[in-house]
Amino acid sequence: MATPSSAPPGGAGRPAPRLPGIPPVPGQYRPPPGPGGPGMFPPRPSRPSLTSPQQTRLILVSAIAVVLGLLGGLIATMVLPHIYAAQTTIRYSLGEKSSGSDDADRTLTTQTVIIGGREVLQPVADSTGVPIDYLTKNVSATIVPNSEIIQIQVLHPDRSSGIQLADAVAKQYLQVANTSDNRAQLQSQLDNAQRQLAVPTTPPDTVTDLQSQVADLQSQLAQDASASDLAAIVAPAFSVTAPVFPNTLITLAIGALVGAAAAALIGTSMVRRWTRR
């Protein structure tokens, strides 16, 4: 018979309640070692290295891809339509202005704008049959630094046609640059006097006066022409030897880059396939 002193603390037939234990000291608990080692995750298996034949094959495939890219760039250079540049050189006299000054730069810049404008290009388009829009896009004028030289360039797929257009643009610009209002007025007076001289019924006294007037007008026109000839062609139009488009070096470089990119993609795929477990 159980006495009250010997009965279990939970009562008759009941297990004794579990007393709260002492919390573990921080740092005492250690997780059990995993199956792969002391850490919780097993180490990743290392990939096998490439064999010598595989490395040789990878280098060979990469080299072939780059060579094919270069060949593609070379073929593109031969197949694409070629554009050539025709050039001519003009000297614009600045007079008392020194080249390189602000006034001189503004004057020369104005002349380049005139060369590329309709005042020059429209008569060329009318005489050659080339559309004005084409001339506007393919005619350019640049100034040689610290000089009075202006270079006119015309882009055209045919060398001879480009030379003819460059020459026509240069000559039309000379007419615009070297023509003054005074010269046009003098020329009109000269034409009128010469028409009166051609009339048979003109009195002799009037003929003498007209002849003197014609001589005087011709002298003034000559003086005005020498004073106002600001622009002159220095070098006639010629075609540049190498085409402007396509550029062989740039095309080959693009082909090499494409081949290198293809070699990188193919090489990466080959390495992954060989090293896959």
Side-chain angles (χ1 to χ4, degrees):
M1 180 175 182
T3 61
S5 60
S6 61
R14 295 179 182 179
R18 180 177 294 178
L19 298 176
I22 302 174
V25 180
Q28 284 186 346
Y29 176 75
R30 295 291 184 271
M40 297 183 64
F41 302 98
R44 180 179 297 179
S46 60
R47 289 188 175 184
S49 59
L50 298 180
T51 63
S52 180
Q54 289 175 341
Q55 293 178 358
T56 302
R57 185 178 177 185
L58 181 63
I59 294 174
L60 183 61
V61 170
S62 301
I64 291 175
V66 174
V67 171
L68 290 177
L70 289 172
L71 289 176
L74 183 60
I75 293 174
T77 303
M78 299 171 61
V79 172
L80 290 174
H82 288 53
I83 303 297
Y84 300 95
Q87 292 184 354
T88 183
T89 304
I90 288 177
R91 179 181 180 272
Y92 187 86
S93 178
L94 295 172
E96 298 179 355
K97 302 175 184 177
S98 59
S99 59
S101 64
D102 293 340
D103 292 341
D105 291 342
R106 283 193 295 268
T107 301
L108 293 177
T109 303
T110 302
Q111 301 310 309
T112 60
V113 174
I114 293 175
I115 292 173
R118 287 184 171 270
E119 186 178 6
V120 172
L121 298 183
Q122 188 62 59
V124 175
D126 296 338
S127 61
T128 60
V130 179
I132 182 65
D133 293 338
Y134 180 88
L135 293 177
T136 303
K137 295 178 181 178
N138 292 278
V139 174
S140 61
T142 56
I143 305 169
V144 178
N146 299 323
S147 70
E148 300 177 338
I149 301 300
I150 300 176
Q151 290 182 341
I152 299 177
Q153 184 180 78
V154 178
L155 302 181
H156 200 277
D158 182 68
R159 290 183 182 272
S160 59
S161 299
I163 294 174
Q164 294 177 1
L165 286 175
D167 183 67
V169 170
K171 291 180 178 178
Q172 180 61 32
Y173 165 69
L174 294 186
Q175 293 183 10
V176 173
N178 295 332
T179 300
S180 62
D181 296 337
N182 186 35
R183 183 188 299 186
Q185 183 179 1
L186 292 175
Q187 185 65 47
S188 177
Q189 295 177 4
L190 177 61
D191 294 340
N192 187 25
Q194 289 176 341
R195 282 194 298 269
Q196 293 183 24
L197 282 175
V199 177
T201 58
T202 303
D205 295 340
T206 305
V207 169
T208 304
D209 294 338
L210 289 174
Q211 290 176 346
S212 176
Q213 183 179 357
V214 167
D216 183 59
L217 290 172
Q218 289 176 344
S219 176
Q220 293 184 40
L221 282 172
Q223 293 177 3
D224 186 72
S226 61
S228 62
D229 280 346
L230 301 176
I233 296 177
V234 177
F238 67 96
S239 180
V240 179
T241 304
V244 177
F245 178 85
N247 188 298
T248 304
L249 295 179
I250 295 178
T251 307
L252 291 178
I254 293 175
L257 289 176
V258 173
L265 293 175
I266 296 173
T268 302
S269 176
M270 294 172 63
V271 170
R272 288 179 177 177
R273 186 174 67 252
W274 289 336
T275 57
R276 184 182 304 167
R277 285 183 177 271

